[in-house]
Amino acid sequence: MATPIITDGSTDRVREAPRVVLPDNPKLFDERARRFAQLADGHSMGAYLGLMAQVARGQQAAIGARAAVPLPPAALEQSRHYGMPPLSAQGHARAPLWRDDLRDILRTVRAEAAPAAAPTLARLAAMDETSLEAMADRVLAGTTLDDDAACVPFVGAALQVYFMRQAASLAVADVSQCDVATVCPVCGTRPVASIIRIGGAQANLRYLVCALCQTEWNMARAKCSSCETDKGVHFLSLAENPDSDQAGQTAVKAEACDECKTYLKIVNQDKDAFVDPYADDLATLALDLLVDEQGFARSGPNLLFHPGSG
């Protein structure tokens, strides 16, 4: 299914843009690692962003190390006929491969991590399968415990690899009937942010980016990504807090909704050709604080961060 876009102001020339874009970039995590490293330089959260660059390099090592597990035909049939996400994050029977992805990430990070990360890496390496699966369930359900905090970014990163690999094995036809615009049509997860790209079929359109499987789906601009209203939607930026060391990062704004009192960040590639919604989101946590102070709650997670892990 495609979104018709008028390209020249007339009604007789229309460009078709994809409604759903499955993750097909084999270098996605490598590019994310470079963005994290770029943002870390001189940043007040530089150490954490640098650690996430290492995590992303581990994700890149893991993504090509194993193949996707075929989905049951019934899941694809339900998606086509009933508009249900075929890879429901909480309903999907995860294969143990995600734990292999976690081991690859831990191995990469262990080789170059700062000493401060060593206790968390050791804890995860020693954790039994039952405990790991229970923590993964909590990460996906958004019910993590304070004691999970340091482990969440690593478990979340491994789940991203696993679910991205699964999503990339699908065809757009498998998910084109999913009509709940506020959640990922592949796995049913909320978006981490939205992005407006330059160039290509997605140029100048707003795409929500799944916090888990990296799938992108189109939603009209100036429309709340949580309640879908077009009333009371406005933008906030760090320009309102010039003392922040992130005030110059104008590519990222918070799209806040007065109707449901939620917000989600929007990353504009036109401002900076090299952006990543996950990395740029973490690099602008000062914006989250600013928006939170104004009474808005964040509507989507970033699985690479837990409030107690930074």
Side-chain angles (χ1 to χ4, degrees):
M1 184 178 296
T3 300
I5 303 297
I6 305 299
T7 59
D8 62 356
S10 69
T11 57
D12 58 348
R13 294 183 61 189
V14 177
R15 168 170 59 86
E16 295 289 335
R19 188 180 75 84
V20 177
V21 180
L22 297 172
D24 62 357
N25 180 1
K27 294 295 184 181
L28 184 147
F29 293 117
D30 181 59
E31 293 173 1
R32 183 165 300 156
R34 289 190 289 113
R35 181 57 171 164
F36 267 123
Q38 181 187 72
L39 291 167
D41 188 24
H43 197 288
S44 59
M45 288 179 56
Y48 189 79
L49 297 176
L51 176 61
M52 290 303 102
Q54 296 166 2
V55 167
R57 286 193 285 273
Q59 290 177 296
Q60 186 64 52
I63 190 68
R66 44 201 65 91
V69 178
L71 290 181
L76 298 179
E77 196 68 16
Q78 285 182 329
S79 178
R80 294 190 191 103
H81 286 281
Y82 302 107
M84 299 170 60
L87 196 62
S88 173
Q90 297 182 50
H92 171 68
R94 288 189 308 274
L97 290 181
W98 83 269
R99 299 197 300 269
D100 296 327
D101 295 327
L102 177 61
R103 281 189 282 271
D104 285 349
I105 292 169
L106 297 181
R107 187 180 303 113
T108 299
V109 175
R110 190 180 296 113
E112 51 183 298
T120 301
L121 300 179
R123 178 188 172 191
L124 284 167
M127 200 173 289
D128 61 46
E129 294 178 2
T130 300
S131 298
L132 280 174
E133 292 294 346
M135 186 177 292
D137 287 341
R138 293 195 295 274
V139 169
L140 294 175
T143 58
T144 51
L145 309 173
D146 289 342
D147 190 49
D148 296 334
C151 297
V152 165
F154 299 97
V155 173
L159 292 169
Q160 285 181 341
V161 171
Y162 173 82
F163 276 90
M164 175 182 166
R165 187 187 296 119
Q166 294 295 121
S169 71
L170 300 174
V172 171
D174 295 327
V175 298
S176 62
Q177 299 305 313
C178 296
D179 56 4
V180 181
T182 59
V183 300
C184 175
V186 172
C187 69
T189 302
R190 298 284 307 175
V192 64
S194 63
I195 188 167
I196 298 174
R197 299 189 184 280
I198 56 174
Q202 295 173 262
N204 300 317
L205 298 176
R206 193 262 290 265
Y207 280 80
L208 301 177
V209 184
C210 180
L212 181 62
C213 75
Q214 323 295 303
T215 295
E216 300 181 10
W217 66 103
N218 179 244
M219 178 179 276
R221 295 200 209 185
K223 187 175 184 180
C224 177
S225 60
S226 182
C227 71
E228 297 189 74
T229 185
D230 57 1
K231 300 177 181 178
V233 176
H234 59 284
F235 299 92
L236 301 168
S237 74
L238 286 170
E240 300 180 24
N241 184 10
D243 294 330
S244 169
D245 68 345
Q246 301 154 45
Q249 196 166 340
T250 57
V252 183
K253 295 182 179 180
E255 188 175 60
C257 175
D258 288 332
E259 294 292 310
C260 66
K261 303 301 289 185
T262 68
Y263 76 94
L264 193 72
K265 290 178 188 171
I266 182 165
V267 182
N268 196 329
Q269 193 175 22
D270 190 43
K271 301 290 185 182
D272 186 340
F274 185 39
V275 295
D276 178 88
Y278 301 81
D280 284 82
D281 174 47
L282 288 188
T284 53
L285 288 181
L287 179 56
D288 293 83
L289 296 176
L290 175 68
V291 180
D292 180 72
E293 289 173 356
Q294 298 193 28
F296 296 94
R298 184 178 171 120
S299 63
N302 189 323
L303 300 186
L304 299 181
F305 183 76
H306 185 284
S309 63

